[in-house]
Coordinates of all heavy atoms in Angstrom, one line a residue:
P258 N -15.7 6.6 -8.2 CA -16.5 7.6 -8.9 C -17.2 8.5 -7.8 O -17.7 7.9 -6.9 CB -17.5 6.7 -9.7 CG -16.7 5.5 -10.1 CD -15.9 5.3 -8.8
G259 N -17.1 9.7 -8.0 CA -17.8 10.6 -7.1 C -17.0 10.9 -5.8 O -17.5 11.6 -4.9
K260 N -15.8 10.4 -5.7 CA -15.0 10.5 -4.5 C -13.7 11.1 -4.9 O -13.1 10.9 -5.9 CB -14.8 9.3 -3.8 CG -16.2 8.6 -3.2 CD -15.9 7.4 -2.5 CE -17.2 6.8 -1.9 NZ -16.9 5.5 -1.1
E261 N -13.1 11.7 -3.9 CA -11.7 12.2 -4.1 C -10.7 11.2 -3.9 O -10.9 10.0 -3.3 CB -11.3 13.4 -3.0 CG -12.3 14.6 -3.3 CD -11.6 15.7 -2.4 OE1 -10.5 15.8 -1.9 OE2 -12.5 16.7 -2.1
R262 N -9.5 11.4 -4.5 CA -8.5 10.4 -4.4 C -8.1 10.2 -2.9 O -7.9 11.2 -2.3 CB -7.2 10.8 -5.2 CG -6.1 9.8 -5.4 CD -5.2 10.2 -6.5 NE -4.7 11.5 -6.1 CZ -4.3 12.3 -7.1 NH1 -4.3 12.1 -8.4 NH2 -3.9 13.5 -6.8
E263 N -8.0 9.0 -2.5 CA -7.6 8.8 -1.1 C -6.5 7.8 -0.9 O -6.1 7.0 -1.7 CB -8.9 8.1 -0.4 CG -9.2 6.8 -0.8 CD -10.4 6.1 0.0 OE1 -11.0 6.8 0.9 OE2 -10.7 5.0 -0.3
F264 N -5.8 8.1 0.2 CA -4.6 7.2 0.6 C -5.0 5.8 0.9 O -5.9 5.5 1.5 CB -4.0 8.0 1.8 CG -2.9 7.1 2.4 CD1 -1.6 7.0 1.9 CD2 -3.2 6.3 3.7 CE1 -0.7 6.2 2.5 CE2 -2.2 5.6 4.3 CZ -1.0 5.6 3.6
V265 N -4.2 5.0 0.5 CA -4.3 3.6 0.8 C -3.1 3.0 1.5 O -3.3 2.4 2.6 CB -4.4 2.7 -0.6 CG1 -4.5 1.2 -0.3 CG2 -5.6 3.2 -1.3
A266 N -1.9 3.1 1.1 CA -0.8 2.7 1.7 C 0.5 3.4 1.3 O 0.5 3.9 0.2 CB -0.7 1.1 1.5
A267 N 1.5 3.4 2.1 CA 2.7 3.9 1.7 C 3.9 3.3 2.4 O 3.8 2.7 3.5 CB 2.7 5.4 2.1
I268 N 5.1 3.3 1.7 CA 6.3 2.7 2.3 C 7.5 3.5 2.0 O 7.6 4.1 0.9 CB 6.4 1.2 1.7 CG1 7.6 0.5 2.3 CG2 6.6 1.3 0.2 CD1 7.6 -0.9 2.0
S269 N 8.4 3.6 3.0 CA 9.6 4.4 2.7 C 10.6 3.6 2.0 O 10.4 2.4 1.6 CB 10.2 4.7 4.2 OG 10.5 3.6 4.9
W270 N 11.7 4.2 1.6 CA 12.6 3.6 0.7 C 13.2 2.3 1.2 O 13.3 1.3 0.5 CB 13.8 4.6 0.5 CG 14.9 3.9 -0.2 CD1 16.2 3.6 0.3 CD2 15.1 3.6 -1.5 NE1 17.1 3.0 -0.6 CE2 16.4 3.0 -1.8 CE3 14.2 3.7 -2.7 CZ2 16.8 2.6 -3.0 CZ3 14.6 3.3 -3.9 CH2 15.9 2.8 -4.1
A271 N 13.5 2.2 2.5 CA 14.1 1.1 3.1 C 13.0 0.1 3.6 O 13.3 -1.0 4.1 CB 15.0 1.4 4.2
G272 N 11.7 0.5 3.6 CA 10.7 -0.3 4.1 C 10.6 -0.2 5.5 O 9.6 -1.0 6.1
G273 N 11.2 0.7 6.2 CA 11.1 0.8 7.6 C 9.9 1.5 8.2 O 9.5 1.4 9.3
T274 N 9.3 2.3 7.3 CA 8.1 3.0 7.6 C 7.0 2.6 6.6 O 7.1 2.8 5.5 CB 8.3 4.5 7.7 OG1 9.4 4.9 8.5 CG2 7.0 5.2 8.0
I275 N 5.9 2.1 7.3 CA 4.7 1.7 6.4 C 3.5 2.2 7.0 O 3.3 2.1 8.3 CB 4.7 0.1 6.3 CG1 5.8 -0.4 5.6 CG2 3.3 -0.2 5.6 CD1 6.0 -1.9 5.4
Y276 N 2.7 2.8 6.3 CA 1.4 3.2 6.7 C 0.3 2.6 5.9 O 0.4 2.4 4.7 CB 1.3 4.8 6.5 CG 2.2 5.5 7.5 CD1 3.1 6.4 7.0 CD2 2.2 5.3 8.9 CE1 4.0 7.1 7.8 CE2 3.0 6.1 9.7 CZ 3.9 7.0 9.1 OH 4.7 7.7 10.0
Y277 N -0.9 2.4 6.6 CA -2.0 1.9 5.9 C -3.3 2.8 6.2 O -3.4 3.3 7.4 CB -2.4 0.4 6.1 CG -1.3 -0.4 5.7 CD1 -0.5 -1.0 6.6 CD2 -1.3 -0.9 4.4 CE1 0.5 -1.9 6.2 CE2 -0.4 -1.8 4.0 CZ 0.5 -2.4 4.9 OH 1.5 -3.2 4.4
A278 N -4.3 2.9 5.3 CA -5.5 3.6 5.7 C -6.2 2.6 6.6 O -6.0 1.3 6.4 CB -6.2 3.9 4.4
D279 N -7.0 3.1 7.5 CA -7.7 2.2 8.3 C -8.6 1.2 7.7 O -8.8 0.1 8.0 CB -8.6 3.1 9.3 CG -7.6 3.8 10.4 OD1 -6.6 3.4 10.5 OD2 -8.2 4.8 10.9
S280 N -9.2 1.7 6.5 CA -10.1 0.9 5.8 C -9.5 -0.3 5.1 O -10.2 -1.3 4.8 CB -10.7 1.7 4.6 OG -9.7 2.2 3.7
V281 N -8.1 -0.3 5.0 CA -7.5 -1.5 4.3 C -6.5 -2.2 5.3 O -6.0 -3.3 5.0 CB -6.7 -1.1 3.1 CG1 -7.6 -0.4 2.1 CG2 -5.5 -0.2 3.4
K282 N -6.3 -1.7 6.5 CA -5.3 -2.3 7.4 C -5.8 -3.7 7.8 O -7.0 -4.0 8.1 CB -5.4 -1.4 8.7 CG -4.1 -1.8 9.6 CD -4.2 -0.7 10.8 CE -3.9 0.6 10.2 NZ -3.9 1.7 11.4
G283 N -4.8 -4.6 7.7 CA -5.1 -6.0 8.0 C -5.4 -6.7 6.8 O -5.5 -8.0 6.7
R284 N -5.7 -6.1 5.6 CA -6.1 -6.8 4.5 C -5.1 -6.6 3.3 O -4.9 -7.4 2.5 CB -7.5 -6.3 4.0 CG -8.6 -6.6 5.0 CD -10.0 -6.3 4.5 NE -10.1 -4.8 4.1 CZ -10.4 -4.4 2.9 NH1 -10.5 -5.2 1.9 NH2 -10.5 -3.1 2.7
F285 N -4.5 -5.3 3.3 CA -3.6 -4.9 2.2 C -2.2 -5.0 2.7 O -1.9 -4.6 3.9 CB -3.9 -3.6 1.6 CG -5.1 -3.5 0.9 CD1 -6.1 -4.6 0.8 CD2 -5.5 -2.3 0.1 CE1 -7.3 -4.4 0.1 CE2 -6.6 -2.2 -0.6 CZ -7.5 -3.3 -0.6
T286 N -1.2 -5.3 1.9 CA 0.1 -5.3 2.2 C 1.0 -4.6 1.2 O 0.9 -5.0 0.0 CB 0.7 -6.7 2.5 OG1 0.1 -7.3 3.5 CG2 2.3 -6.6 2.9
I287 N 1.7 -3.5 1.5 CA 2.6 -2.8 0.6 C 4.0 -3.3 0.8 O 4.4 -3.5 1.9 CB 2.4 -1.2 0.8 CG1 3.2 -0.6 -0.4 CG2 2.9 -0.9 2.2 CD1 3.0 1.0 -0.4
S288 N 4.7 -3.4 -0.4 CA 6.1 -3.8 -0.3 C 6.8 -3.2 -1.5 O 6.1 -2.6 -2.4 CB 6.3 -5.3 -0.3 OG 5.8 -5.9 -1.4
R289 N 8.1 -3.2 -1.4 CA 8.8 -2.6 -2.6 C 10.1 -3.4 -2.8 O 10.7 -4.0 -1.9 CB 9.1 -1.1 -2.4 CG 10.0 -0.8 -1.2 CD 10.1 0.7 -1.0 NE 10.7 1.4 -2.1 CZ 10.7 2.8 -2.3 NH1 10.1 3.5 -1.3 NH2 11.2 3.4 -3.3
D290 N 10.5 -3.5 -4.1 CA 11.8 -4.1 -4.5 C 12.5 -3.0 -5.2 O 12.4 -2.7 -6.4 CB 11.5 -5.3 -5.4 CG 12.7 -6.1 -5.8 OD1 13.8 -5.4 -5.8 OD2 12.6 -7.3 -6.1
N291 N 13.4 -2.4 -4.5 CA 14.2 -1.3 -4.9 C 15.1 -1.7 -6.2 O 15.3 -0.9 -7.1 CB 15.1 -0.7 -3.9 CG 14.2 0.0 -2.7 OD1 13.1 0.3 -3.0 ND2 14.8 0.1 -1.5
A292 N 15.6 -2.9 -6.1 CA 16.5 -3.4 -7.3 C 15.6 -3.4 -8.6 O 16.1 -3.3 -9.7 CB 17.0 -4.7 -6.9
K293 N 14.3 -3.7 -8.4 CA 13.5 -3.7 -9.6 C 12.7 -2.5 -9.8 O 11.9 -2.4 -10.7 CB 12.6 -4.9 -9.4 CG 13.2 -6.3 -9.5 CD 12.1 -7.3 -9.3 CE 12.9 -8.8 -9.4 NZ 11.9 -9.8 -9.3
N294 N 12.8 -1.5 -8.9 CA 12.1 -0.3 -9.1 C 10.6 -0.5 -9.1 O 9.9 0.0 -9.9 CB 12.6 0.6 -10.3 CG 14.0 1.0 -10.3 OD1 14.6 1.1 -11.3 ND2 14.6 1.1 -9.1
T295 N 10.2 -1.3 -8.2 CA 8.8 -1.7 -8.3 C 8.3 -1.7 -6.7 O 8.9 -2.1 -5.9 CB 8.6 -3.1 -8.9 OG1 9.2 -3.1 -10.1 CG2 7.2 -3.5 -8.9
V296 N 7.0 -1.2 -6.7 CA 6.3 -1.3 -5.5 C 5.0 -2.2 -5.7 O 4.5 -2.2 -6.9 CB 5.8 0.0 -5.0 CG1 4.9 0.8 -6.0 CG2 5.2 0.0 -3.6
Y297 N 4.6 -2.9 -4.7 CA 3.5 -3.9 -4.8 C 2.4 -3.5 -3.8 O 2.6 -3.0 -2.7 CB 4.0 -5.3 -4.6 CG 5.1 -5.8 -5.6 CD1 6.4 -5.7 -5.1 CD2 4.9 -6.2 -6.8 CE1 7.5 -6.1 -5.9 CE2 5.9 -6.7 -7.6 CZ 7.2 -6.5 -7.2 OH 8.2 -6.9 -8.0
L298 N 1.2 -4.0 -4.1 CA 0.2 -3.9 -3.2 C -0.6 -5.2 -3.3 O -1.3 -5.5 -4.2 CB -0.8 -2.7 -3.5 CG -2.0 -2.4 -2.5 CD1 -1.3 -2.0 -1.2 CD2 -2.9 -1.4 -3.0
Q299 N -0.4 -6.0 -2.3 CA -1.2 -7.3 -2.1 C -2.5 -6.9 -1.5 O -2.5 -6.5 -0.4 CB -0.4 -8.3 -1.3 CG -1.1 -9.6 -1.1 CD -1.3 -10.4 -2.4 OE1 -0.4 -10.5 -3.2 NE2 -2.5 -10.9 -2.7
M300 N -3.5 -7.2 -2.1 CA -4.9 -6.9 -1.6 C -5.7 -8.3 -1.4 O -6.0 -9.0 -2.3 CB -5.7 -6.0 -2.6 CG -4.9 -4.7 -2.9 SD -5.9 -3.6 -3.9 CE -6.1 -4.6 -5.5
N301 N -6.0 -8.5 -0.1 CA -6.7 -9.7 0.2 C -8.0 -9.3 0.8 O -8.2 -8.2 1.2 CB -5.9 -10.5 1.2 CG -4.6 -11.1 0.7 OD1 -4.5 -11.3 -0.5 ND2 -3.6 -11.0 1.6
S302 N -8.9 -10.3 0.8 CA -10.3 -10.1 1.4 C -10.9 -8.8 0.9 O -11.4 -8.0 1.6 CB -10.1 -9.9 3.0 OG -9.6 -11.1 3.6
L303 N -10.9 -8.7 -0.4 CA -11.4 -7.5 -1.1 C -12.8 -7.4 -0.8 O -13.6 -8.4 -0.8 CB -11.1 -7.6 -2.6 CG -9.6 -7.3 -3.0 CD1 -9.3 -7.7 -4.3 CD2 -9.4 -5.8 -2.8
K304 N -13.3 -6.1 -0.8 CA -14.7 -5.8 -0.5 C -15.2 -4.9 -1.7 O -14.4 -4.3 -2.3 CB -14.8 -5.0 0.8 CG -14.3 -5.8 2.0 CD -14.4 -4.9 3.3 CE -13.8 -5.5 4.4 NZ -13.9 -4.6 5.7

């Protein structure tokens, strides 16, 4: 609320390129399952 939409994490098709926002680096993990057409975001140590 009150903030603009911000980047959290991204992953390329093959998973070879992954980016994280500094604010979530080390806590969040992005992954994708292309066979299932699904992307995941594992969020640990939530604040």
